[in-house]
């Protein structure tokens, strides 16, 4: 009998990283595939579902404007109870550190359904940064039975918390997605990207959305970017803005009036990954971009005070520059003006796997269900 695997996710980055795995599960006769989205994100999630051509079996459709963490947690917990009662999955897969992931893992635990945690073991060891993600992933590790860790460092982080059973080193599924998407002959879907001139310009790709950066840190970031463009006539910035109104309002206010700053809507993941290849460097507070940029040899300035992805820093591609205006500006100008530093940071390195993470996760799940001792661990 096939193993009923339900993947649960709700935000853009979870979808990008779970859908290669969903495809692998669908093709594998050992499994029956079920997908449940919480739609913690609506438009940004649907954009990814469309790209990967996946239609979820269940959709909690819970996003509300300016939702609180309590809203998301309560709605996911309540919603998943009904879904699990109807679908009766043998195992539930969640991803990373979102509130969807934590609350879905808790809901599965309440039904005594084993949880597999994809992208397990990332830590900053600062409970308020990133907030609430550091606590979400800690709690998800406690709830999970299977732990799919992208790197050896992630395995060691889990071991420090005495989590050593059913820990598998898999690589990150984002590399599975990236390798299937980036192509030299790519034509953008978003016409704004095709109409921009990249020749003779240095293009900086920016994203910023983190909760702990909302307010003054976000304003610092935007002011640094505005200064950067004002001081360097050959620099343009492309910023696909997150849908969060708390991000967009200051973005329009501070960056909305400069002809070389292009504020655009969120772009599809194929456009995004292929846009990397046109960029000189990347400025971001996103987690996923820190994993994608090293694989493509693009320097990343991390607009945060810490990172749970030190592998990218060790590889030389990422630098944590903080959230102060002058620090951000100085490091961005260093990349523009210092060719040795630029070259050092733009070596293509990929600490996050070989593009076969999904296959390893499938094999680990099948082995777990074949193992006679599995009941003791659920
Ligand atoms: C969430 C995750 C964060 C992840 C990020 C990826 C939590 C607590 N946070 O943060 O870990 O890095 O997603 O982007 O799980 N909105 C829309 N349409 C969309 C998406 C969002 O309008 O498609 C707006 C809504 O007003 C929503 C707000 O953005 O209330 C915030 O969304 P939310 O998921 O709560 O937080 P994020 O900052 O996106
Ligand atoms: N991304 C995208 N379109 C955009 C911005 C980002 O497809 O307009 C992708 C990006 O390449 C990465 C993921 O979304 O794979 C990161 O998502 P986000 O920054 O929302 O969340 P985080 O990684 O910080 O959790």
């Amino acid at each position: 009998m096939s193993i009923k695997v339900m993947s649960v996710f709700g935000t853009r980055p979870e979808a990008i990283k779970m859908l290669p795995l969903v495809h692998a599960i669908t093709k594998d006769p050992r499994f029956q595939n079920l997908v449940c989205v919480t739609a913690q994100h609506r438009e940004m999630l649907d954009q990814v579902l469309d790209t990967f051509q996946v239609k979820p079996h269940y959709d909690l459709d819970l996003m509300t404007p300016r939702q609180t963490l309590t809203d998301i947690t309560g709605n996911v917990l309540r919603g998943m109870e009904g879904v699990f009662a109807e679908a009766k999955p043998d195992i539930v897969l969640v991803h990373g550190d979102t509130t969807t992931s934590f609350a879905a893992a808790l809901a599965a635990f309440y039904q005594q359904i084993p949880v597999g945690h994809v992208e397990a073991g990332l830590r900053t060891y600062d409970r308020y940064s990133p907030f609430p993600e550091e606590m979400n992933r800690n709690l998800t590790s406690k709830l999970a039975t299977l732990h799919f860790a992208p790197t050896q460092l992630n395995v060691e982080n889990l071991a420090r918390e005495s989590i050593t059973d059913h820990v598998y080193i898999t690589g990150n599924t984002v590399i599975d997605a990236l390798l299937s998407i980036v192509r030299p002959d790519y034509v953008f879907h978003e016409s704004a990207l095709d109409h921009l001139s990249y020749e003779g310009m240095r293009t900086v790709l920016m994203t910023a959305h983190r909760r702990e950066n909302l307010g003054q840190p976000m304003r610092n970031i935007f002011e640094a970017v505005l200064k950067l463009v004002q001081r360097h006539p050959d620099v343009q910035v492309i910023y696909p803005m997150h849908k969060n109104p708390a991000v967009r309002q200051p973005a329009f206010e501070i960056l909305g009036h400069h002809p070389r700053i292009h504020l655009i809507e969120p772009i599809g993941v194929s456009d995004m990954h292929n846009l990397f290849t046109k960029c000189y460097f990347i400025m971001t507070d996103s987690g996923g971009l820190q994993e994608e940029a090293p694989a493509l040899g693009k320097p990343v300035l991390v607009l945060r005070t810490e990172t749970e992805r030190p592998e990218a820093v060790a590889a030389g591609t990422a630098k944590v520059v903080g959230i102060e205006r002058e620090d951000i500006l100085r490091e961005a100008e260093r990349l523009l003006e210092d060719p040795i530093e630029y070259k050092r940071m733009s070596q293509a390195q990929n600490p996050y796997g070989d593009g076969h993470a999904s296959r390893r996760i499938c094999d680990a799940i099948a082995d777990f269900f074949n193992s006679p001792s599995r009941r003791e661990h659920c």
Side-chain angles (χ1 to χ4, degrees):
M1 256 223 328
S2 59
I3 304 158
K4 214 189 255 192
V5 182
M6 175 174 275
S7 303
V8 183
F9 49 90
T11 65
R12 169 174 66 194
E14 293 167 82
I16 292 170
K17 292 169 165 182
M18 286 296 268
L19 287 176
L21 177 57
V22 165
H23 276 312
I25 292 167
T26 309
K27 281 194 251 154
D28 192 323
R30 294 174 294 184
F31 305 119
Q32 181 186 341
N33 169 57
L34 286 171
V35 171
C36 174
V37 296
T38 65
Q40 174 179 334
H41 287 172
R42 186 70 277 172
E43 303 92 321
M44 285 162 52
L45 172 73
D46 290 346
Q47 209 173 18
V48 187
L49 292 170
D50 287 348
T51 301
F52 285 85
Q53 298 183 318
V54 167
K55 247 187 114 43
H57 303 84
Y58 296 91
D59 188 337
L60 302 186
D61 195 22
L62 61 76
M63 193 193 85
T64 53
R66 294 187 186 259
Q67 58 205 359
T68 66
L69 298 173
T70 310
D71 293 334
I72 306 167
T73 309
N75 289 333
V76 172
L77 264 182
R78 251 183 299 277
M80 290 314 305
E81 187 174 38
V83 171
F84 290 150
E86 187 181 311
K88 299 195 172 25
D90 296 310
I91 181 168
V92 170
L93 301 182
V94 298
H95 182 276
D97 55 20
T98 69
T99 296
T100 282
S101 308
F102 157 60
L106 182 59
F109 173 74
Y110 284 164
Q111 303 305 317
Q112 300 188 18
I113 304 167
V115 172
H117 187 198
V118 181
E119 198 178 280
L122 282 68
R123 296 288 185 271
T124 62
Y125 298 104
D126 177 344
R127 57 167 50 204
Y128 289 114
S129 191
F131 175 82
E133 288 81 5
E134 178 69 4
M135 190 54 75
N136 281 344
R137 58 189 166 220
N138 257 284
L139 296 170
T140 306
S141 290
K142 289 280 173 290
L143 294 163
T145 300
L146 285 81
H147 311 265
F148 305 114
T151 69
Q152 178 59 32
L153 190 83
N154 305 144
V155 173
E156 288 161 19
N157 288 343
L158 291 170
R160 224 169 274 137
E161 294 163 24
S162 303
I163 298 171
T164 50
D165 280 342
H166 303 298
V167 175
Y168 309 87
I169 182 160
T170 59
N172 197 307
T173 54
V174 80
I175 303 298
D176 303 19
L178 196 69
L179 295 183
S180 69
I181 282 175
V182 175
R183 293 191 299 275
D185 57 345
Y186 185 80
V187 178
F188 291 113
H189 290 98
E190 171 59 58
S191 57
L193 295 175
D194 259 341
H195 293 138
L196 283 179
S197 166
Y198 301 95
E199 290 305 311
M201 297 296 287
R202 292 192 283 185
T203 301
V204 177
L205 173 61
M206 173 167 92
T207 76
H209 70 83
R210 300 228 78 81
R211 259 168 213 264
E212 68 276 9
N213 278 349
L214 297 178
Q216 193 54 48
M218 199 68 82
R219 300 185 77 86
N220 294 347
I221 292 169
F222 295 159
E223 283 166 13
V225 167
L226 180 61
K227 257 260 143 61
L228 185 73
V229 174
Q230 285 169 341
R231 284 171 34 166
H232 299 271
D234 68 331
V235 169
Q236 64 179 349
V237 172
I238 303 178
Y239 177 16
M241 283 178 300
H242 194 285
K243 284 279 184 192
N244 190 344
V247 174
R248 295 165 83 90
Q249 190 270 328
F252 282 125
E253 181 194 319
I254 299 169
L255 301 176
H257 311 287
H258 196 288
R260 280 182 283 111
I261 299 178
H262 308 288
L263 301 183
I264 58 175
E265 289 302 311
I267 52 179
V269 62
S270 312
D271 275 1
M272 185 69 180
H273 285 173
N274 284 284
L275 183 58
F276 273 62
T277 61
K278 301 245 183 249
C279 289
Y280 198 64
F281 66 86
I282 292 159
M283 301 173 76
T284 190
D285 66 4
S286 151
L289 270 83
Q290 295 176 59
E291 295 154 345
E292 293 158 348
L296 298 169
K298 294 296 170 179
V300 191
L301 300 182
V302 180
L303 306 169
R304 294 168 48 175
T305 53
E306 41 52 33
T307 181
E308 59 290 273
R309 290 159 170 99
E311 299 90 346
V313 178
T317 340
K319 193 186 272 183
V320 178
V321 300
I323 47 171
E324 297 303 331
R325 195 176 74 152
E326 294 312 316
D327 295 341
I328 298 166
L329 186 59
R330 187 185 61 248
E331 293 300 333
E333 291 196 316
R334 195 198 302 275
L335 275 178
L336 291 175
E337 290 164 2
D338 181 347
I340 295 169
E341 176 68 353
Y342 184 80
K343 190 157 183 277
R344 186 188 72 77
M345 287 186 72
S346 52
Q347 312 290 333
Q349 301 258 8
N350 176 9
Y352 295 110
D354 57 4
H356 296 291
S358 301
R359 182 179 48 73
R360 290 194 190 92
I361 293 170
C362 287
D363 289 346
I365 296 170
D367 284 352
F368 173 76
F369 277 90
N370 286 330
S371 126
S373 64
R374 82 180 152 90
R375 271 276 132 224
E376 296 159 28
H377 298 286
C378 289

